[in-house]
Amino acid sequence: MIIIMLGAPGTGKGTIAGILAEELKIPQVSTGDIFRKHMKEGTELGKLAESYISKGALVPDDVTVDLIANRMQEKDVQEGIILDGFPRTVKQAEELDKMLEKENKKVDMVINLTTPEEEIIERIVNRRICSNQECKTVYNITLNPPKQEGICDVCGHELITRKDDNVETVKSRLNSYFEQTSPLVEYYENKGNLYSALVSKNVNKLGKDVAQHCLKYIKENF
Ligand code: AMP
């Protein structure tokens, strides 16, 4: 099964993808995580990605498409994959369709997370992530705080704030989303595989609640 997580930054794509991956037993692949790993290791790709990510801009399509094309060849994703943060442009979506078509595969479901714009910035600046790469549990210091401040409940490692989770960069990231990524909602709506879910402090404030709705839908429809 091929699932895409779509949504503005801070809507909970990673958290929900993580829960779905565990329940459905298929890998979650986050382009953002791959770029951050390269940045930490100081590779050429990492340096290139950082020059865009630090400004809140998207990494160019050719780089990102190549990265995913290679990742999609690996053995662990042959039965299914949850793409978290890819595609982010219509060009990337078209390239993904071409890639899948060659293997008689298709995108089965696109989960489109929507959050009122005024809540997004608050969600992002309050986000904390476990520094342990194997864990990466996400917290929100107001909506979903850890039991002990600054420490991950799951593995005990230190919680960190992503470098690009600051007010200035978030504004550019939101612009990139509205200009380049949001046309994908119509792209997938036309293909008939879009499932939209509201993520808001007034309704489904936690990713795990939304993930349960998604799982119910998947069990009933696939
Ligand atoms: P994320 O962890 O998904 O929020 O991604 C962090 C940053 O990585 C984004 O703000 C982009 O700069 C970059 N990025 C991640 N995925 C993509 C993609 N599919 N296309 C272009 N840039 C991306």
Side-chain angles (χ1 to χ4, degrees), residues 45 53 63 109 172 212:
L45 174 62
I53 294 176
V63 177
M109 180 180 179
S172 314
Q212 290 314 315

Side-chain angles (χ1 to χ4, degrees), residues 13 30-33 35-36 52-53 57-59 64 85-88 92 162 164 173:
K13 296 187 291 296
S30 153
T31 37
D33 280 350
F35 288 138
R36 278 186 288 278
Y52 293 93
I53 294 176
L58 293 185
V59 177
T64 314
F86 181 93
R88 260 181 158 100
Q92 292 179 12
R162 258 170 61 173
D164 57 345
R173 286 162 67 196

Side-chain angles (χ1 to χ4, degrees), residues 5 25 49 58 142 166 187 190 210 213:
M5 302 301 304
K25 301 192 172 39
L58 293 185
T142 54
N166 59 72
Y187 181 90
N190 290 338
V210 181
H213 292 301

Side-chain angles (χ1 to χ4, degrees), residues 144-167:
N144 178 33
K147 290 194 185 80
Q148 190 184 340
E149 197 183 323
I151 302 293
C152 178
D153 292 348
V154 180
C155 71
H157 280 73
E158 187 195 356
L159 300 183
I160 51 169
T161 305
R162 258 170 61 173
K163 267 192 199 159
D164 57 345
D165 278 354
N166 59 72
V167 180

Side-chain angles (χ1 to χ4, degrees), residues 7 14 21 48 56 67 77 135 163-164 188 190-191 215:
L48 178 86
L67 185 82
V77 298
C135 175
K163 267 192 199 159
D164 57 345
Y188 287 117
N190 290 338
K191 289 182 181 285
L215 281 168

Side-chain angles (χ1 to χ4, degrees), residues 92-108:
Q92 292 179 12
E94 288 169 348
E95 293 299 324
L96 175 65
D97 284 345
K98 281 190 222 162
M99 238 182 265
L100 295 174
E101 217 170 282
K102 282 188 202 148
E103 301 189 14
N104 284 325
K105 292 180 180 169
K106 62 171 177 53
V107 172
D108 295 293

